[in-house]
Amino acid sequence: MPEFRLTQISDTHLGRRFPGLIANFHRVSEHIDAGRPDLVVNTGDVSFDGPSSRDDAEFAKGLHDALPVACRYLPGNHDIGDNPTAIGPAPKPPVSPAHRQQFCDIIGEDHWSFDAAGWRFIGLNSLVMNSGLAFEAEQFDWLASELSHANGRPVALFLHKPLFLNLPEDPETPETSIRYVPQPARARLIEMFGTIDLRLIASGHVHQRRDFTWRRTRHVWAPSAGFVINDQRQDRIASKEVGLVEYRFQPDSLEVRHVRAAGQVDVDIEELLVQMGGEH
């Protein structure tokens, strides 16, 4: 395969009670239908609240099943719960084996790898990192095996949470620790990829569109496909808008295109909070 076209969507947050998010997903679906990439990857928060609403997960999967191309998925904190950090409050809810299993049963595999266009693609469940759950160790063992078969090929890594803000050694703070892969799992990941030709890390979670390169690795933060978080509730790091990201992979090369589907609307989180009523 001389070229592999992949579309990344993220933070769709789908649930029946949020018409604005459903409308944005339909606009994204129309864009995907027109372009017909080889694969769609949703990098997490597929559902609005999977841990407390199985229906959210089932509804989200049904909408994805209607897409005209194959999909792969990774869990976000709204799908399986959040991971604990060394600093900051305990997550609500914490990641759990039951919620992870529900994600796998309804939505799909929560970690995966495949090869295309001379690249190795790896998707990781970032929410189990630093959790102490048995699957955390299992996934690290699986990852070590996958990396041992990279055989010099460039690697593209997909996960829900970005690795870090600007630098690997960025300190964790109570306010921002939940945004990034927590320590010490972050350091372990960076060490494991240290001898690999890691060209791309694609993530979501922060609801801001960002694209920067550290050393030889390009870090792409996909925006939410569903809604934005205003500056009063979240500090601005990069661009706050809904959208998606398109990639073209060729042997030893990568093209990234930042896209907003026609008709997508920047739904503000305040609108969702009103619709949630007493839930939040």
Side-chain angles (χ1 to χ4, degrees):
M1 181 185 296
E3 180 178 83
F4 183 73
R5 296 188 302 123
L6 185 152
T7 294
Q8 180 192 6
I9 60 177
S10 199
D11 299 88
T12 44
H13 289 276
L14 291 165
R16 298 182 196 275
R17 58 206 182 280
F18 301 110
L21 305 187
I22 297 170
N24 271 342
F25 187 83
H26 285 319
R27 302 294 83 75
V28 168
S29 299
E30 291 162 0
H31 180 87
I32 291 169
D33 188 26
R36 297 294 175 106
D38 298 300
L39 180 70
V40 170
V41 172
N42 188 323
T43 46
D45 286 354
V46 182
S47 61
F48 193 85
D49 189 1
S52 65
S53 175
R54 182 182 179 91
D55 183 70
D56 279 4
E58 292 174 340
F59 179 71
K61 183 57 162 58
L63 289 180
H64 284 77
D65 283 346
L67 290 171
V69 299
C71 296
R72 288 183 183 263
Y73 309 88
L74 294 168
N77 48 296
H78 282 251
D79 299 311
I80 65 172
D82 214 341
N83 38 5
T85 59
I87 188 170
K92 295 181 180 179
V95 61
S96 74
H99 294 148
R100 175 185 170 249
Q101 190 60 54
Q102 176 180 273
F103 180 91
C104 294
D105 290 345
I106 297 174
I107 295 178
E109 292 180 310
D110 67 339
H111 67 297
W112 37 259
S113 71
F114 63 91
D115 300 324
W119 286 67
R120 168 143 286 202
F121 296 82
I122 295 176
L124 292 179
N125 179 338
S126 61
L127 280 305
V128 298
M129 295 176 186
N130 206 43
S131 69
L133 299 178
F135 178 69
E136 179 183 9
E138 293 171 14
Q139 182 175 237
F140 272 123
D141 289 344
W142 172 86
L143 176 60
S145 176
E146 293 300 313
L147 294 180
S148 72
H149 296 102
N151 297 324
R153 286 171 292 184
V155 173
L157 171 64
F158 291 80
L159 70 176
H160 182 60
K161 291 188 174 184
L163 268 187
F164 50 77
L165 175 59
N166 293 313
L167 298 169
E169 60 272 18
D170 283 343
E172 293 182 317
T173 69
E175 296 77 24
T176 65
S177 59
I178 61 170
R179 287 186 188 163
Y180 310 105
V181 174
Q183 297 284 21
R186 180 198 309 173
R188 184 175 180 184
L189 271 182
I190 291 169
E191 181 180 5
M192 292 179 73
F193 280 98
T195 59
I196 301 299
D197 185 10
L198 181 62
R199 301 279 185 92
L200 171 70
I201 300 177
S203 60
H205 184 57
V206 188
H207 287 238
Q208 299 192 40
R209 187 193 294 282
R210 192 176 184 217
D211 189 336
F212 70 99
T213 299
W214 185 78
R215 294 186 174 171
R216 68 173 304 171
T217 302
R218 191 164 180 177
H219 295 247
V220 175
W221 297 9
S224 168
F227 69 92
V228 297
I229 304 174
N230 59 65
D231 291 351
Q232 287 68 46
R233 290 189 176 269
Q234 180 202 55
D235 55 311
R236 181 178 292 268
I237 302 169
S239 175
K240 293 188 175 184
E241 62 176 2
V242 295
L244 58 149
V245 186
E246 296 177 338
Y247 303 87
R248 289 179 182 265
F249 296 90
Q250 295 180 337
D252 207 40
S253 71
L254 165 67
E255 177 184 328
V256 181
R257 181 169 177 253
H258 294 278
V259 181
R260 179 184 176 96
Q264 275 193 285
V265 174
D266 288 333
V267 175
D268 191 278
I269 191 174
E270 305 299 337
E271 178 181 328
L272 306 181
L273 295 176
V274 170
Q275 292 169 354
M276 289 169 65
E279 291 184 47
H280 62 283

